[in-house]
Amino acid sequence: MAEGLVEGGTECAATTGLAKQPPERSLGAFEQLSAVADAVLYEGYLLYPYRRSSAKNRVRWQFGVLFPRDWVESDGPVVPGVSGSADSWYQQTECLLRIRRPGDASVRVRVRYLQMQRKQVEDTGHHPVASLRTDDGTVHLTFDEAVPRACEVVVPLDELLDTGRTVPVGAAAGVDVEPLPAGAGRVVRHRDEVRAETTVTAERLTDDLCRLRVRTANTGPAPAPGTARDEALRRALIATHTLIGGDGVEFVSLTDPPTDLAAPARSCRNEFTFPVLGGAAEDAGHLLLSAPIILPDHPQVAPESPGDLHDAGEIDEILTLRTMLLTDEEKREARATDPRAAAILDRVDTMPQEVFERLHGAIRSLAPVAPATAPATAERPAWWQEGADGGLSPTTDTVLVDGVPLGGGSRVRLRPRGRGADAQDMFLAGRTAEVGAVFHDVDGSVHLAVTLDDDPASELHSWYGRFHYFRPDELEPLEPAGTPDEPSAPAPVAAKAPLTTDSETPAAEAE
């Protein structure tokens, strides 16, 4: 077994028990998923306006952070949940895989994370300074950077079913010194050692089905009690996530499992991460991405996106426009803050018009529109034309669901779609709600805005227009308002949902 870590993020490898390895499908699939995995790795790394002085860039590293155990549990044990936004000392993935080649199957696991790197600017006397301007006008700023790390292990499935495998996935300490031009000073980059290990095991459930567990833990010594989080990050794994593939195996979706595997899927325990199927939808079950950010099966980066902006929840067009409007002084500070910020500015400043136009939007799919109940007296103008929204009234419009007109004040039970539903919507399955408005999208589809019956802030949400949005086929009409309220079914036990979800993005009303 060869194990080691090369500086700069090159993988370490650990393979045994596999004679004469052929080119593996899982390895190629890993590379195809690299854009999504990199988006997870650098999510929130540096946020617009990409300057060190920006308040939002003073509290960083919010996802998949694994600290030394004694430090993170100094005030009590961590509370497991699927949300990777909570600090922890370990991360556990459990998934189901079907065995397609008994006796010849193998599993490939790649653990990826960032190692914090302190960039310290020093003057000619090697004294630390916050910033330094060289004779050519270039500004150098002291700031925390990060280095990508990855470690990979390939293990026969039979070994995992028997004894399992534990491999080190840490990163060595290091110091790099970069002299500045004309002897103006230097930049020193420090990295503390990160100690961690990943354990891979498997449990047979039936002859052709097993449960795979991948557990990554920070095993390093804890900083002194009372050490600030910014300092403790020096020994942490940041944005930790895992790619899992294999040969002779097929993974099962945990968000939409086959009916006969629903029970074993529910029994999988994922803590501070959650696995989804990777690759294209037609690549059935050949790859998993377990990330600290909740994703749907088969996540993809939009092909129109020309590069990472480190904020995948935002719209590329908006961030690009805002970045274009930064002043020259703001751009100089952003370039001095981090090389990745400089790369964003270079891309935005030189973006061809045709590339920018593609950011304006794209239609991925179209759903048939239900025929109108009565023939229209005149064809409605296109959404961008004047009068397109004439006759639309979100608070009084209704839509028929199972023969019942639903509109403002109607009570419903939430039935999110089993396939393709937003992950946060799934936590609301079975809850009862009140319809606040009916919105017509520019593509002809309809969404109903609802507030949950058991939400103590429902009146406040209605007042300032914060709703959950569902399609008509995701709602079940209840008795008309005025009858005794039905008790709201409890949501499944899960991590506390973020304050904002995709389902809370208002449907675009025709204009």
Side-chain angles (χ1 to χ4, degrees):
M1 175 172 66
E3 295 183 0
L5 186 64
V6 180
E7 293 298 333
T10 306
E11 299 164 359
C12 65
T15 60
T16 59
L18 297 175
K20 208 168 183 179
Q21 289 297 300
E24 297 181 63
R25 183 172 188 171
S26 61
L27 182 58
F30 278 7
E31 307 315 318
Q32 293 172 12
L33 196 59
S34 61
V36 175
D38 285 348
V40 172
L41 186 67
Y42 287 102
E43 177 66 12
Y45 174 83
L46 195 63
L47 298 175
Y48 169 87
Y50 308 113
R51 305 191 315 267
R52 182 186 68 173
S53 60
S54 174
K56 66 175 75 173
N57 288 320
R58 296 175 189 170
V59 181
R60 304 168 68 200
W61 324 121
Q62 300 298 315
F63 302 101
V65 182
L66 308 185
F67 288 98
R69 182 173 185 175
D70 289 346
W71 184 87
V72 77
E73 291 192 331
S74 59
D75 294 326
V78 296
V79 179
V82 296
S83 173
S85 60
D87 292 341
S88 176
W89 59 272
Y90 75 96
Q91 191 180 81
Q92 175 176 295
T93 299
E94 285 191 354
C95 59
L96 301 178
L97 58 83
R98 291 187 173 101
I99 305 171
R100 297 307 190 193
R101 293 206 312 262
D104 186 36
S106 63
V107 173
R108 179 185 295 270
V109 175
R110 181 182 295 177
V111 178
R112 305 174 79 232
Y113 62 92
L114 296 175
Q115 178 187 16
M116 182 175 160
Q117 175 172 268
R118 177 68 174 172
K119 181 182 73 172
Q120 179 63 62
V121 179
E122 297 181 353
D123 60 18
T124 53
H126 297 175
H127 301 120
V129 294
S131 64
L132 188 67
R133 185 185 296 269
T134 55
D135 292 341
D136 61 1
T138 302
V139 176
H140 300 269
L141 300 178
T142 293
F143 195 64
D144 290 335
E145 302 173 335
V147 179
R149 301 300 189 194
C151 192
E152 186 169 301
V153 58
V154 182
V155 192
L157 180 58
D158 287 345
E159 179 183 336
L160 297 180
L161 290 167
D162 184 21
T163 60
R165 175 80 69 84
T166 298
V167 295
V169 293
V175 178
D176 299 326
V177 179
E178 175 191 352
L180 296 179
R186 66 180 189 174
V187 175
V188 182
R189 291 177 167 87
H190 297 265
R191 295 177 300 278
D192 286 4
E193 180 185 16
V194 175
R195 298 182 189 175
E197 62 183 26
T198 294
T199 298
V200 189
T201 59
E203 172 191 1
R204 189 181 296 276
L205 302 180
T206 65
D207 289 344
D208 63 350
L209 181 72
C210 68
R211 178 184 293 110
L212 182 73
R213 173 184 291 178
V214 180
R215 185 180 177 94
T216 298
N218 188 319
T219 58
T227 299
R229 186 177 187 273
D230 286 349
E231 288 298 315
L233 282 165
R234 296 174 183 269
R235 303 182 187 180
L237 293 78
I238 300 169
T240 313
H241 60 283
T242 307
L243 300 178
I244 309 174
D247 288 303
V249 298
E250 181 180 308
F251 297 95
V252 176
S253 169
L254 295 190
T255 59
D256 187 21
T259 303
D260 60 324
L261 297 181
R266 284 194 300 269
S267 68
C268 290
R269 294 291 174 260
N270 289 285
E271 299 174 356
F272 305 104
T273 186
F274 192 81
V276 296
L277 297 179
E282 57 270 18
D283 296 336
H286 294 298
L287 181 65
L288 276 184
L289 169 60
S290 187
I293 302 170
I294 295 179
L295 300 170
D297 279 338
H298 310 292
Q300 294 182 354
V301 172
E304 294 82 10
S305 180
D308 198 353
L309 294 167
H310 307 320
D311 193 353
E314 187 56 275
I315 300 172
D316 278 22
E317 182 184 31
I318 293 175
L319 283 180
T320 300
L321 286 170
R322 288 175 175 174
T323 303
M324 287 178 174
L325 293 176
L326 292 175
T327 66
D328 290 343
E329 183 59 34
E330 289 174 324
K331 288 183 177 181
R332 276 192 292 270
E333 182 185 349
R335 290 182 184 280
T337 296
D338 191 275
R340 299 188 71 86
I344 290 174
L345 291 174
D346 290 342
R347 186 170 67 246
V348 168
D349 288 345
T350 60
M351 184 177 294
Q353 182 64 26
E354 60 271 19
V355 174
F356 179 76
E357 289 175 354
R358 289 202 299 268
L359 299 181
H360 190 60
I363 297 176
R364 304 290 178 210
S365 61
L366 294 175
V369 179
T373 56
T377 56
E379 184 176 350
R380 183 180 295 279
W383 65 267
W384 63 85
Q385 296 176 334
E386 184 177 356
D389 56 354
L392 297 179
S393 175
T395 56
T396 60
D397 284 351
T398 61
V399 60
L400 281 178
V401 176
D402 295 337
V404 178
L406 296 182
S410 299
R411 295 190 59 249
V412 295
R413 190 177 299 280
L414 308 181
R415 302 294 188 192
R417 298 185 301 276
R419 182 183 296 274
D422 180 87
Q424 300 298 335
D425 289 352
M426 295 169 65
F427 296 146
L428 305 179
R431 305 271 283 276
T432 57
E434 180 177 316
V435 177
V438 177
F439 290 97
H440 296 262
D441 293 350
V442 296
D443 63 1
S445 61
V446 176
H447 284 82
L448 288 87
V450 305
T451 54
L452 300 176
D453 287 346
D454 59 0
D455 187 343
S458 59
E459 288 188 14
L460 182 62
H461 293 330
S462 298
W463 179 72
Y464 59 72
R466 180 176 182 177
F467 299 104
H468 294 275
Y469 292 83
F470 291 89
R471 290 178 178 272
D473 61 358
E474 297 180 299
L475 301 178
E476 174 188 321
L478 298 178
E479 293 298 322
T483 60
D485 289 347
E486 297 188 18
S488 180
V493 176
K496 186 177 295 184
L499 293 176
T500 303
T501 73
D502 289 346
S503 69
E504 293 172 321
T505 302
E509 190 173 348
E511 296 183 356

